[in-house]
Amino acid sequence: MSEDSGAFVRPRGRAWGNDAQRAVLHAVAEDIATRAAHKVVAIEALRSDGYLEFVAIAGDDAARDKMLGKASPLELNHIHHLGDEMAGWRHIPSERLDGETRAWLDEYGHKPDVPASDLPDGWDPDDQLVRMLLNEDGELRGMLYLDEPLSGLRPTPESVAEINAGAGVLFEAVISIVERELYGEQVRMVTQARRAIESVRPGLGEEELLAALSEAMVDAMDVATVDVISESTVIAELEADRGEVTELMRRQWRRRGHVVVERQRTWSMQEESIETPPSLTRLLDTHGLGSGLLVPIGAGDDYLGTLAMGRAPDAPRWIASEIMAASVVASDIARMLLEARLVERERALNAELRATNDYRRDMVMTLAHELRNPVSVLWTNLELLSLEPDDDERDESVQAMDRAARRIEDMIEDLMALATVSDPERPTSPAPVDLSALVGESCQFLAPTAALGGLEMHADVTEGLVVEGELAGLQRLVTNLLSNALKYTAAGGRVDVRLAPEVVDGRDGVRLTCADTGIGIAAAELGDVFTPFFRSARPEARRRPGTGLGLAITERVVTGHHGTVEVESVLGEGTTFAVWLPAEAGRRER
C-alpha cells in the first residue's frame, strides 16, 4: 500500500508532539524495556485526528527508522479477535494471524529479522504482545508493544503480572503525556488566537474583517502567513484550479476536515493523498512557504471560506494539536464572518432607507416649490380683483379663493417643515432656548384666537426653563400643540398649558403639557395621530380645516431633540398632549 499504488497513504513524518515530549517517551520506552525484560518497546500515541502514530521505539534501530513518525488508522479488530487477554495485555500468537492481518502488519508494523526461539513455547518473531493504554474514562490514548522477550518465551499470566508490577506506573505516565499533548497545545493555541481575534475592531464589513483577522493572527498562530479568505476572494495563483480547490474545501467542510498542502503531496484526514496541484505549488513558491494548512470555515451546511496558514520551508510539519486548534479558531471566525455580513446588509439597508428618505424629502420639497409658484400667481390676481369696484358676487368668490389660497399656503409651509425636520442629515446647531419665554409668547400670540372662539386659555409656566435645541423647531412644536387644542375645542371650552421641570431616568428636562376640553380622539385613531396627512374620519373633526401634518411635524421635532411625546384622549371630553425634552441635546440614550 504505497503512494505509487494509489491506495490510502498518510504522508507525514512526525506530526505528534514536540521533540521534548518525544524524548520523554523514548526514555519511558527504555525504562519499560528494562522493567519488563524485553529488548524492544514501541509506543503509539493517539492523535486528535483519530490516528495512532509511533512516537517512541526503543531497542531496534531498524524499526525506529521505518516506523517512527508513521501513523496508522485506529483498527483494533485483529487485536480483539485474535489475541488472548492477559491482565490488560493481548497476546496474539503468530499461528492465529490470517492473510489480511499479516498484510496490515506488513504495512503498519515491523517484523524483526531474528530467528524464532527453539525453546518449548518459545517467542516467534510474528508474535505480538500489545497493551491498550486507557485513561480513567476508558478512552484509548495509546498502544504499547513489547517484542523479543529476554527469556525467549511467550507470555504467561505470571510473567504478565510481573510486567504490570514493575512497569505499571509508566503506563500511566504515557497516558498523561498523550492527554496533555491532545489538549494542552490545542488550548494554548486557541487561547492565543482568540486574543488576537478579540483585538479586531468590531463593526467591520466582510472585506475589512478578513484583512484585519489575517494580520492579527499571524503572530498568535506562530506561522509565516495567515489568510482568512471568503469563497469569493480572488487569488491569482489559484484561478486555474479554483473550481477544484473550492470543491475540495466544500467537501472538507461537510466532513469537518482540513487539508495539509506539502510540496509533493496534499492530504487530509478522510481522503487519499493526492499529488499537490500546480496552482498550490505556485502559491507556496509565491509566498516562500514550505507547507500550508487549509481549514474550511462554515456555518450549518454553508461553506463560507477558508482559514489558510503557511509555514516556512525549514519549519516543522503540522501537528495534530495545531490542526485541531485551527479548526476551533475557524469556528470563531465563521461567527464573526456571519456578523460582518449582517453588518454589511444592515449598512446596505440603511443606505436604501436613506435614499428612500432623501427621495421622499426631495419630492416633498419639489412639490412645495411647485405649488408656491401658482399660489403666488393666485395671490397677485386676488389683489388685482380687490382693486375692482365692489360687487357682492365677486367679493364672495374672492373670499373663497382667498381661503383656498391660504389653505394651500399652509400646506406648503407644513410640507416644507416636515421635510426639514425629517432630514437626519440636516445640519443643526443646538443652542440654549428659553422654553419658558417661548411658551409664554405663544400663549400671548394665540390669546386673541382663543377669545374670538369663546375659549378660556390658562397657562402655568415655570420661569427660567432652558433647553438646548433648535429655536425654529421648538417654536413650531409649541404653536402646533396650542393651535390644535384651540381648533378642536368648541366655544365655552378650556385649554390648559403647563411647563415644569422634570427628571426622567436621571436626566434633567422639562415637561410641556397641553390639555383641552375639545371633541377628543377615538381610541382606534390614537395610534395614527402622528402619521403625516392623517385626518380623523369623524365629521366633527373633518369640519375643522387642516393638512394633517401638524402633529407629524411635532413628533419629528420631539424625536430630533431626543425627547418623548404622549397623547391621551377621551372622545367627547378632551385631549392631552405631553412632551418631555431633555435639558441637554447632547445626552441621548444608546
Side-chain angles (χ1 to χ4, degrees):
M1 297 176 67
S2 65
E3 294 179 4
D4 295 336
S5 71
F8 182 76
V9 176
R10 306 182 61 75
R12 46 197 78 207
R14 298 181 177 183
W16 181 92
N18 54 42
D19 290 341
Q21 290 169 316
R22 289 174 178 274
V24 171
L25 286 179
H26 182 74
V28 170
E30 291 182 331
D31 198 1
I32 291 175
T34 300
R35 298 186 184 208
H38 281 67
K39 178 185 176 183
V40 180
V41 174
I43 299 174
E44 277 187 313
L46 180 70
R47 299 192 316 209
S48 52
D49 60 16
Y51 277 70
L52 290 165
E53 179 180 331
F54 282 101
V55 294
I57 299 177
D60 190 330
D61 292 341
R64 186 182 303 112
D65 293 341
K66 175 186 177 184
M67 302 302 301
L68 201 62
K70 272 198 168 183
S72 64
L74 185 58
E75 178 58 65
L76 305 178
N77 288 340
H78 68 283
I79 296 176
H80 287 298
H81 296 319
L82 303 178
D84 294 325
E85 209 286 330
M86 290 185 174
W89 293 84
R90 287 272 176 175
H91 174 229
I92 306 175
S94 59
E95 59 268 20
R96 293 187 186 175
L97 299 180
D98 54 25
E100 182 178 351
T101 303
R102 288 184 182 277
W104 172 273
L105 295 176
D106 288 341
E107 172 64 23
Y108 294 106
H110 174 71
K111 179 179 179 180
D113 187 16
V114 295
S117 172
D118 55 3
L119 297 173
D121 204 21
W123 180 268
D124 187 277
D126 279 340
D127 281 355
Q128 289 191 71
L129 184 58
V130 185
R131 184 180 184 91
M132 291 182 289
L133 301 176
L134 309 177
N135 65 10
E136 293 180 353
D137 297 324
E139 298 168 328
L140 183 69
R141 287 295 174 258
M143 303 285 288
L144 181 62
Y145 300 86
L146 301 184
D147 201 357
E148 297 186 49
L150 300 183
S151 67
L153 299 175
R154 284 178 167 175
T156 64
E158 293 75 18
S159 66
V160 167
E162 292 179 3
I163 292 173
N164 288 342
V169 66
L170 297 177
F171 307 160
E172 298 300 323
V174 174
I175 295 171
S176 177
I177 292 171
V178 174
E179 289 204 317
R180 283 202 302 271
E181 163 59 18
L182 282 172
Y183 302 115
E185 184 67 11
Q186 178 180 331
V187 170
R188 182 187 67 80
M189 293 184 63
V190 169
T191 300
Q192 290 180 339
R194 283 178 171 168
R195 286 175 182 166
I197 289 174
E198 290 171 358
S199 70
V200 175
R201 179 167 57 88
L204 298 177
E206 181 173 339
E207 186 174 343
E208 297 172 306
L209 174 68
L210 296 180
L213 285 173
S214 298
E215 182 178 355
M217 291 177 58
V218 171
D219 294 335
M221 301 299 287
D222 192 24
V223 292
T225 62
V226 175
D227 292 289
V228 183
I229 55 180
S230 69
E231 187 180 6
S232 60
T233 302
V234 176
I235 302 175
E237 297 88 350
L238 289 180
E239 285 306 300
D241 298 310
R242 183 180 184 85
E244 179 182 350
V245 173
T246 299
E247 182 53 36
L248 172 64
M249 297 312 297
R250 285 184 186 279
R251 189 163 61 247
Q252 293 307 317
W253 170 245
R254 289 194 294 268
R255 298 178 179 183
R256 302 305 189 263
H258 59 268
V259 175
V260 174
V261 180
E262 296 176 334
R263 291 197 168 272
Q264 302 301 321
R265 307 293 294 181
T266 291
W267 50 270
S268 67
M269 298 302 180
Q270 294 89 358
E271 301 181 59
E272 295 180 1
S273 67
I274 61 172
E275 183 177 351
T276 299
S279 59
L280 292 179
T281 303
R282 286 194 301 271
L283 197 60
L284 295 177
D285 291 337
T286 299
H287 297 281
L289 303 174
S291 64
L293 172 62
L294 307 179
V295 179
I297 301 169
D301 295 330
D302 298 329
Y303 163 68
L304 304 176
T306 298
L307 171 60
M309 298 186 290
R311 275 213 164 124
D314 58 347
R317 304 186 81 181
W318 298 97
I319 62 175
S321 58
E322 293 173 325
I323 293 172
M324 294 305 295
S327 299
V328 173
V329 172
S331 299
D332 293 343
I333 293 175
R335 173 183 54 78
M336 298 183 68
L337 187 56
L338 289 175
E339 290 176 355
R341 292 183 176 181
L342 287 175
V343 167
E344 289 191 340
R345 289 174 186 170
E346 183 179 353
R347 287 176 180 171
L349 179 58
N350 287 336
E352 291 179 10
L353 291 174
R354 284 195 299 270
T356 301
N357 186 66
D358 291 345
Y359 173 77
R360 180 187 60 79
R361 186 187 66 249
D362 292 344
M363 180 185 68
V364 171
M365 295 293 286
T366 300
L367 176 61
H369 283 294
E370 290 298 321
L371 284 172
R372 178 162 282 174
N373 288 331
V375 168
S376 297
V377 174
L378 184 58
W379 280 117
T380 300
N381 283 275
L382 282 172
E383 291 175 359
L384 292 175
L385 284 172
S386 66
L387 299 177
E388 294 295 325
D390 292 342
D391 179 273
D392 291 342
E393 186 174 346
R394 186 212 63 196
D395 288 346
E396 186 176 342
S397 298
V398 169
Q399 291 172 5
M401 286 189 291
D402 182 77
R403 288 193 299 272
R406 291 184 187 280
R407 187 166 182 180
I408 294 174
E409 186 176 47
D410 289 343
M411 180 173 289
I412 291 171
E413 295 299 325
D414 284 347
L415 282 171
M416 297 188 71
L418 180 64
T420 300
V421 300
S422 299
D423 183 5
E425 304 297 329
R426 177 174 59 96
T428 58
S429 300
V433 176
D434 189 337
L435 198 60
S436 298
L438 191 155
V439 173
E441 291 170 1
S442 298
C443 289
Q444 290 177 4
F445 178 76
L446 292 172
T449 303
L452 188 62
L455 303 176
E456 180 183 352
M457 179 184 289
H458 181 264
D460 179 10
V461 178
T462 302
E463 296 297 326
L465 296 181
V466 177
V467 298
E468 192 175 357
E470 186 182 27
L471 177 60
L474 293 173
Q475 285 176 329
R476 188 172 289 274
L477 181 157
V478 175
T479 301
N480 282 348
L481 290 180
L482 294 178
S483 298
N484 262 20
L486 296 175
K487 180 166 58 175
Y488 292 103
T489 303
R494 177 187 174 95
V495 174
D496 289 302
V497 181
R498 185 175 184 271
L499 181 69
E502 183 174 320
V503 177
V504 173
D505 295 333
R507 295 186 297 169
D508 292 333
V510 297
R511 175 77 66 181
L512 172 63
T513 304
C514 183
D516 63 58
T517 58
I519 63 175
I521 304 170
E525 296 179 335
L526 276 176
D528 298 319
V529 294
F530 298 114
T531 303
F533 300 106
F534 173 76
R535 296 293 308 280
S536 173
R538 296 168 54 226
E540 57 269 39
R542 286 285 183 177
R543 284 196 290 268
R544 275 79 167 176
T547 63
L549 295 174
L551 290 177
I553 294 171
T554 297
E555 191 269 342
R556 302 297 197 280
V557 172
V558 172
T559 301
H561 285 75
H562 319 299
T564 60
V565 57
E566 301 170 349
V567 57
E568 295 180 356
S569 186
V570 177
L571 200 61
E573 295 183 11
T575 302
T576 299
F577 284 90
V579 172
W580 181 85
L581 298 174
E584 296 181 14
R587 296 185 62 187
R588 68 179 68 182
E589 294 181 338
R590 296 184 181 276

